[in-house]
Amino acid sequence: MRYSYEHEERLRVGYIGAGEYSYRTILPSFRYAPINLVALVDTDEDRGLNVARQFGARHFYPNHKAMLAQEEMDAVFIVVGLDDKGHSRYPDLADETLRAGFHTWIGTPPCTSSDDITTFTNACLPHHKYLMANFKKMFMPAYVKALQIIEDPDFGGVSTFSMRYPVSLPASEKREDDAAMIPFLEFVHPYSLLLRLFGECEGLTYMRSPLTGGGVMNIRYASGVVGTLHLTGGQSLTSPLERLEIVGDDANLVVENGIRLLYYRAGGRRGDDEKEPERHTSFVGPDDTAPIIWEPEFSLGRLYNKQLFLQGYVGSVTHFAERLLADAPPVHGNLVDILHIMNVYDNIRHGQENEWITPH
C-alpha cells in the first residue's frame, strides 16, 4: 500500500458533494489512492470551502457546471443523497459529467430503477467514458478473502450459501411510491456482494413478513449454487448487521459482522482418531486440517483495522483510479453490474410472494 503522495502518477479528479458521508468515508480514502483532488463542489459554500481546504482541493465551486467547464480533470466523483421524492440524483448528474468528457464514480444506490440505466448508457458509450458505482462490499477484505477461498480447488466448489442483512420490503400496495421504497434500496449492498461472489443469479423467490417487512429470498444460479438471503428488517440496532456462510464440499466458511472470517477446511475431524468417534475424549483435531480464523486487532493504529479499509471504501476508490490509470474499465461496480443489480431490485419490487422471478 502506497499513500497518495507516493504515487508518481495520479488521477486528477473533481468531486461533487461535501456532505457528512463524503467527509467521513470517501474523501479520507483519497489519502490511500493514486488521486489528486483538483476541485470540489458543494451548494453549501461555507461547508464546501472548509471541506475543500481540509482535503487539499485546489479550487472550490458552488456549482458543478462551472467546475466541468473550467477544470482539467480525468474523472469526477459524485456523492449526493436522494431527492425529496426518493429519486436518485446520480443519473442526471452523471449524464452531465460523462457528456462533459469525464469518467465518473458515483455513490449508492446508483439509481432508483433499471429504467435509469439508459441515461448512463447513452452518456457512457458515445463519449467512451466509464462509470463505476460504489458497491463497497465487493471490496471488503474479509469478503475478498472469502472469494479466494471458494475459488480454491480445496474448497470443492460452492453448493449453498446463506446471508443475513437488515433490509425491509414495503407491502405491495406501497411499492409504487419511490419514497416508501427508500429503505429497500439498501438491498443493492448485500446483493452486490453476492454478485461478486457467485455472478448473476438465474432466478429467485421470496416470502415477506407483514410484521416488519423482513423476509427470506431463495436464489438460484446457473452454476448450480443455491442460497438464501435473509432480510432481517426489524432486528435490534445493537445487533451486528450481517453474516455470510458459504458451504462447499467437505468445507465451509463464515464471515461474521463483515470482519471475522472462519474457514473450516476440508478433511477436518474432531477427536483422537478416525475410528469410533463416540469414544473421542477431545474435541481438538489435527493441526493440518484445523479451522483457520482471521480477524483484525484494534489496539494498534494500522491501516488494516481502519473502517475505510474494513468496509471497502479504499478498495472501491483505488480500483477505479488504478483501472483508469491503466486505461482500462472498472471490473467491479461497472455499468453491467449496475444493470443486473437494478434489474433484480425492480423484479422484486414488482414481483409477488412465492412466485419465481427471473431477472431480465
Side-chain angles (χ1 to χ4, degrees), residues 77-360:
F77 280 67
I78 309 174
V79 182
V80 295
L82 302 171
D83 67 18
D84 294 338
K85 296 181 179 180
H87 298 152
S88 173
R89 293 189 284 164
Y90 290 122
D92 289 341
L93 287 169
D95 181 64
E96 291 189 62
T97 58
L98 292 162
R99 290 181 185 278
F102 304 112
H103 302 292
T104 301
W105 184 101
I106 59 177
T108 52
C111 48
T112 312
S113 165
S114 59
D115 293 339
D116 295 323
I117 303 298
T118 302
T119 301
F120 293 140
T121 304
N122 289 345
C124 284
L125 298 183
H127 299 87
H128 306 288
K129 298 301 173 184
Y130 301 127
L131 177 74
M132 177 178 164
N134 180 33
F135 295 123
K136 61 181 183 177
K137 292 193 183 299
M138 290 182 164
F139 302 95
M140 291 172 63
Y143 293 138
V144 172
K145 181 61 178 179
L147 178 61
Q148 294 172 355
I149 291 172
I150 66 176
E151 289 180 338
D152 190 306
D154 289 342
F155 197 74
V158 176
S159 59
T160 62
F161 71 86
S162 63
M163 184 173 185
R164 55 166 286 178
Y165 196 82
V167 175
S168 294
L169 178 63
S172 57
E173 63 270 17
K174 297 182 178 180
R175 293 181 203 165
E176 294 305 315
D177 181 355
D178 288 335
M181 287 298 295
I182 290 175
F184 189 65
L185 276 169
E186 284 293 309
F187 167 82
V188 305
H189 291 297
Y191 188 78
S192 68
L193 171 61
L194 300 182
L195 176 61
R196 176 80 193 267
L197 293 171
F198 311 120
E200 296 186 0
C201 82
E202 184 178 64
L204 60 89
T205 185
Y206 75 88
M207 293 183 291
R208 175 186 177 274
S209 166
L211 178 63
T212 63
V216 176
M217 294 184 181
N218 295 318
I219 309 173
R220 185 174 69 197
Y221 296 80
S223 63
V225 175
V226 294
T228 297
L229 178 57
H230 181 192
L231 305 181
T232 56
Q235 73 174 44
S236 171
L237 294 178
T238 60
S239 170
L241 261 67
E242 59 198 79
R243 183 183 191 274
L244 171 71
E245 181 165 12
I246 305 175
V247 179
D249 185 4
D250 193 34
N252 62 300
L253 65 83
V254 176
V255 181
E256 295 279 7
N257 205 24
I259 60 171
R260 189 169 191 263
L261 172 57
L262 300 89
Y263 178 24
Y264 299 95
R265 294 183 287 174
R269 63 180 185 275
R270 300 176 186 270
D272 307 297
D273 54 52
E274 296 184 15
K275 298 179 180 180
E276 299 188 77
E278 67 276 5
R279 299 193 179 204
H280 291 174
T281 59
S282 173
F283 61 88
V284 179
D287 293 347
D288 59 348
T289 56
I292 302 174
I293 301 174
W294 292 274
E295 60 184 333
E297 54 76 23
F298 296 100
S299 297
L300 303 175
R302 299 289 191 256
L303 295 182
Y304 58 69
N305 60 21
K306 289 184 178 295
Q307 169 242 13
L308 298 177
F309 289 84
L310 291 174
Q311 294 190 12
Y313 294 111
V314 172
S316 175
V317 168
T318 301
H319 177 74
F320 180 71
E322 289 180 343
R323 294 295 294 177
L324 293 189
L325 289 171
D327 196 25
V331 178
H332 309 294
N334 55 31
L335 193 54
V336 174
D337 287 348
I338 297 171
L339 174 60
H340 176 70
I341 291 168
M342 295 311 299
N343 270 335
V344 172
Y345 168 87
D346 280 352
N347 276 267
I348 295 170
R349 178 178 184 175
H350 301 297
Q352 300 297 320
E353 287 191 59
N354 298 310
E355 74 173 8
W356 185 248
I357 298 171
T358 303
H360 54 78

